[in-house]
Amino acid sequence: MNELDLESLDGNYYLHQDELEKLRLTLISTGIIKPLNYTEDELMEYIKKELTVYE
């Protein structure tokens, strides 16, 4: 996230970033979602690869 995005997560406009992180950890620890074990570059490469399959 860029600095402007982080400023929006101050609890005034959206959830505070600490609340968002707590929610993320709760979802992972309860098994509702699985953590991503990819770097941003790896994820983007995977998405590009998958999109070419559907084109």
Side-chain angles (χ1 to χ4, degrees), residues 11-53:
N12 291 324
Y13 297 106
Y14 302 105
L15 283 175
H16 190 276
Q17 62 187 12
D18 294 340
E19 294 173 46
L20 191 59
E21 178 65 8
K22 182 179 175 184
L23 178 59
R24 183 185 74 81
L25 293 173
T26 300
L27 291 171
I28 291 171
S29 68
T30 57
I32 294 173
I33 62 172
K34 294 181 181 179
L36 289 177
N37 294 322
Y38 302 105
T39 66
E40 184 177 349
D41 290 337
E42 291 170 333
L43 182 58
M44 292 304 293
E45 187 61 35
Y46 172 79
I47 292 170
K48 286 178 188 176
K49 181 178 139 194
E50 291 299 311
L51 286 175
T52 59
V53 171

